[in-house]
Amino acid sequence: AKGLGTELVGRKIICYDAVGSTNLLLKDMARQGAENGTVVVADTQGMGRGRMERAFFSPPGKGIYVSILLRPNFLPQDAPKCTLMAAVAVARAMEKFGLRAAIKWPNDIMHDGRKMVGILTEMSAEMDCVNYVVIGIGINVNIASEDFPEELRPIATSLMQMKGEPLPRVAFLQELLRALDALYACAQQEGFAPVLAAWREYAVTLGQQVRVIGPAGESFEGMAADIDAEGALLIDTSTGRRRVLAGDVSIRPK
Ligand code: BTN
């Protein structure tokens, strides 16, 4: 895109003051044929959606709520890797602003044990072929602790709290889209291995004793050993190695 300097991501960018959810909106547009690389960004969301049916706090004037449409030519089982790719893109953008990211598998970016960024990837596939992937990224940019609802204060933080000063939202979004464009181009050419290698550099989950809570609420503990080529987390438990493709991970003190 002109100005942004990207190849694909942000060829078309649609900005809103307020939406329900940028992911929902972009999924509708995708079904109606929106082109590869389309980006929807909103200043605030009334119904920001998170993983596992949770809400994502999206107040006006303080965050980045963005969704990116990709129409990749890979198999549905490759789609979870888009989530890891998005987390790396956020980490790269943070680096431009002097911040070092810590990624908790698969997609949360953390500071002081609290979450600053969440990513929700949604996909539509037919007959083993990906129709579209919508990557939704929510970033707490300039949200002060007291701006969060009380129940979120112990678990949520922001880039501003990490840096000690506010960050420019538009400039951050531009860096994010550039980083994502570069990573996606690389993944299309060389596959996801370099993206996964980059993810490992920022991972705080690996090598830690963790508790995993699966999508159905089942849970177990073990040592997070690595991620595999599909982006699944490999956990060594007392009864052997387990592979986790979806779920929540909490890092437990040893
Ligand atoms: C999570 O941490 O559970 C994922 C949060 C994802 C939030 C983003 S904000 C932009 C996009 N639109 C949504 O409704 N959700 C994602």
Side-chain angles (χ1 to χ4, degrees), residues 208-228:
Q208 304 279 336
Q209 201 62 29
V210 296
R211 166 163 285 276
V212 179
I213 303 169
E218 73 285 9
S219 86
F220 62 91
E221 275 180 44
M223 214 273 288
D226 199 3
I227 49 170
D228 69 10

Side-chain angles (χ1 to χ4, degrees), residues 25-216:
L25 200 82
L26 190 53
K27 284 200 291 178
D28 274 340
M29 292 173 56
R31 283 190 280 267
Q32 286 157 30
E35 68 171 315
N36 199 2
T38 300
V39 171
V40 169
V41 44
D43 184 56
T44 179
Q45 300 184 113
M47 287 197 331
R49 297 164 62 245
R51 295 164 65 230
M52 317 230 249
E53 312 293 319
R54 286 182 289 231
F56 192 81
F57 179 62
S58 315
K62 299 182 160 116
I64 295 175
Y65 312 106
V66 61
S67 299
I68 301 105
L69 171 66
L70 298 176
R71 297 186 182 277
N73 52 8
F74 55 52
L75 296 171
Q77 52 265 41
D78 285 331
K81 285 183 273 197
C82 287
T83 299
L84 304 184
M85 175 174 79
V88 174
V90 177
R92 294 262 159 90
M94 285 174 64
E95 252 153 32
K96 300 267 178 186
F97 294 87
L99 298 173
R100 170 85 194 166
I103 307 178
K104 184 165 81 70
W105 184 89
N107 66 352
D108 294 346
I109 299 193
M110 312 292 292
H111 172 62
D112 274 348
R114 291 176 294 156
K115 171 162 155 176
M116 307 189 286
V117 177
I119 300 169
L120 176 68
T121 303
E122 300 184 87
M123 165 187 70
S124 146
E126 256 167 72
M127 311 268 274
D128 249 21
C129 191
V130 175
N131 181 5
Y132 64 79
V133 174
V134 165
I135 304 175
I137 308 176
I139 308 178
N140 302 335
V141 184
N142 296 323
I143 307 185
S145 180
E146 59 271 21
D147 294 336
F148 285 107
E150 202 152 321
E151 67 275 14
L152 289 182
R153 276 177 218 163
I155 54 171
T157 186
S158 67
L159 298 179
M160 176 178 79
Q161 291 182 50
M162 182 177 184
K163 189 160 170 74
E165 62 185 27
L167 282 90
R169 283 188 301 161
V170 173
F172 193 94
L173 176 62
Q174 288 171 338
E175 291 300 344
L176 172 62
L177 297 178
R178 284 187 192 119
L180 194 63
D181 188 65
L183 286 161
Y184 186 61
C186 164
Q188 293 279 81
Q189 276 172 16
E190 301 170 42
F192 275 93
V195 174
L196 298 183
W199 187 89
R200 283 190 188 89
E201 284 174 38
Y202 301 102
V204 288
T205 315
L206 302 183
Q208 304 279 336
Q209 201 62 29
V210 296
R211 166 163 285 276
V212 179
I213 303 169

